[in-house]
Amino acid sequence: MSEKIIDRETRSRVERYLEGSSAPPAIVLEVGWVNGLGAIQTLARAGVRVLALDHRPFAIGLRSRYCLPLVCPDPYAHEQRFGAFLSELSELLPAPTPIFATHDDGLASIARALSGLGGKLLCPAPDAAKLDVLQQDRKSTRLNSSH
């Protein structure tokens, strides 16, 4: 039996938060800055329940009254553990559930994890291989324009 990343208390919090709703929530990753907080508020004001994810417990979005805050593994330093976290979380959610990243690196981590989630999460991005090419092209363009 593999180690569970989401503890029993967190599972209960997610289940209670989603009680009484048949609509899937939205997940917002990296809520440490105003763009994450803005995404939370915009979705919640549209009537969508929001799960806010960040690996930093002090992230501003985790303090919002418009979401259920969840501290997750670092999607960069611990990408496999982050992918396992998403897998466990997706088991608790109605499928498909949209997930939004507020930064490029988080989007890349999500894209790499999606193939193992069986369509349970929806991400508005191309698959990981295409996304890597796009992000590399963008970085190259930025480097070339600075010289």
Side-chain angles (χ1 to χ4, degrees), residues 96-115:
T97 296
I99 183 168
F100 302 96
T102 62
H103 293 81
D104 287 351
D105 292 336
L107 183 61
S109 294
I110 291 168
R112 285 190 282 276
L114 281 178
S115 64

Side-chain angles (χ1 to χ4, degrees), residues 46-98:
V48 178
R49 293 181 193 207
V50 179
L51 304 177
L53 305 183
D54 206 296
H55 64 281
R56 300 161 296 215
F58 54 83
I60 190 171
L62 297 181
R63 307 278 183 273
S64 175
R65 67 177 180 218
Y66 293 106
C67 69
L68 177 67
L70 299 172
V71 176
C72 66
D74 186 330
Y76 321 113
H78 306 286
E79 191 170 304
Q80 286 185 321
R81 190 167 171 80
F82 172 73
F85 176 90
L86 288 181
S87 179
E88 287 182 28
L89 182 60
S90 70
E91 294 297 325
L92 302 172
L93 307 174
T97 296

